[in-house]
Amino acid sequence: MTNVGEVPDSTAASRMLAQLRAELPRALPSALSVGGPSPTAGNDLYEAYLFALVLRAARNEGYSVSFTDGAGGVPVEFRLRRSPGRLPSGTNFTHALLALPGVAKDPLEVHTGVAVIGKSKVAHEADVLVLPSADAQRCRQLRIDPASHDAILVVEGKYYTTPLTLGTGREFLGLEVDLSARFKVFAATIANPSVVHLLEGRKRIYEVGVLPGRKAERDIQERFAQALRTYRQAA
């Protein structure tokens, strides 16, 4: 039977935020919330949730995880973009730094909601982007967006309360073709069976039904771990 995921219930937002907070130091309060006068939108929380799953996968693969802002300083508050942005701008936004203790490998940076340049030279938004720190530093110095071929992992997330349409699946295929990162992963809450058949038929890396506590959460975390493992093992 085709797994088409599920509609997020009323507790999904709070559970996604809890997953994120579990990966953050207690001394680093989050600007994200699920209540109050300015609650964070579900799609923004979904990016943060996928970001948290990358961090969890990294820790399981032996990476140390720390946090910094765009200026290289220690953040006093965990802040993620709530609209598409650029890696070299927004010094007050937080990103993660993944390092391999005792291994002579460039650390990795994990960003959310930043532009990445495809093979067509067109900019696309990466919901989660993982790339070597040296490449990220170069982008900041030159005020340019990262090229997709420098990325270790690009994640496209779709937090929907109604099933994704075939058109959305086709959009991801177009995005996937234009990006040259080795690992391009599609995550969604719920989709029409036609979308699942399309992605499966094209042998794309995807998981549907990615929500806290679900099997797809564990499966996509393993997808992220595979990308991090491949980087660690590369010469």
Side-chain angles (χ1 to χ4, degrees):
M1 183 176 179
T2 301
N3 173 30
V4 297
E6 62 185 272
V7 176
D9 64 23
S10 60
T11 69
S14 60
R15 288 186 290 127
M16 288 191 294
L17 187 55
Q19 293 280 36
L20 173 66
R21 286 176 172 160
E23 301 301 326
L24 302 180
R26 291 185 179 180
L28 189 61
S30 170
L32 303 173
S33 67
V34 295
S38 301
T40 306
N43 56 315
D44 294 323
L45 277 173
Y46 204 55
E47 289 185 9
Y49 164 61
L50 295 172
F51 174 94
L53 295 183
V54 172
L55 303 190
R56 186 189 301 171
R59 288 189 170 101
N60 290 343
E61 289 298 315
Y63 288 80
S64 66
V65 179
S66 59
F67 299 90
T68 184
D69 60 29
V74 178
V76 296
E77 183 180 53
F78 182 79
R79 298 182 63 86
L80 296 181
R81 291 171 175 81
R82 295 188 65 175
S83 59
R86 300 183 63 226
L87 188 153
S89 63
T91 57
N92 60 330
F93 291 112
T94 311
H95 63 268
L97 194 65
L98 312 180
L100 286 164
V103 179
K105 297 278 291 188
D106 190 24
L108 298 173
E109 293 189 9
V110 189
H111 295 262
T112 61
V114 294
V116 60
I117 305 300
K119 291 179 282 188
S120 66
K121 308 303 180 185
V122 170
H124 305 278
E125 182 191 359
D127 290 330
V128 181
L129 176 69
V130 182
L131 77 165
S133 183
D135 294 310
Q137 291 282 20
R138 177 175 172 271
C139 290
R140 283 188 281 267
Q141 291 166 1
L142 300 179
R143 308 295 296 173
I144 61 174
D145 299 311
S148 64
H149 61 73
D150 291 327
I152 303 304
L153 171 66
V154 178
V155 184
E156 174 77 359
K158 295 295 184 184
Y159 181 84
Y160 275 45
T161 56
T162 57
L164 288 178
T165 64
L166 186 57
T168 303
R170 288 173 176 151
E171 288 173 4
F172 173 69
L173 288 182
L175 172 68
E176 201 267 355
V177 167
D178 198 40
L179 298 180
S180 49
R182 178 170 180 181
F183 289 89
K184 295 156 284 190
V185 182
F186 182 76
T189 51
I190 186 169
N192 279 313
S194 58
V195 176
V196 177
H197 294 319
L198 176 68
L199 299 177
E200 183 69 27
R202 294 296 185 90
K203 300 188 184 303
R204 296 306 190 251
I205 303 176
Y206 76 95
E207 295 294 341
V208 175
V210 180
L211 286 166
R214 301 298 188 262
K215 178 181 181 299
E217 177 188 63
R218 298 189 296 273
D219 291 342
I220 204 164
Q221 186 177 313
E222 175 54 31
R223 304 279 197 180
F224 298 159
Q226 183 182 2
L228 296 167
R229 198 178 304 133
T230 299
Y231 178 74
R232 185 186 66 213
Q233 295 171 349

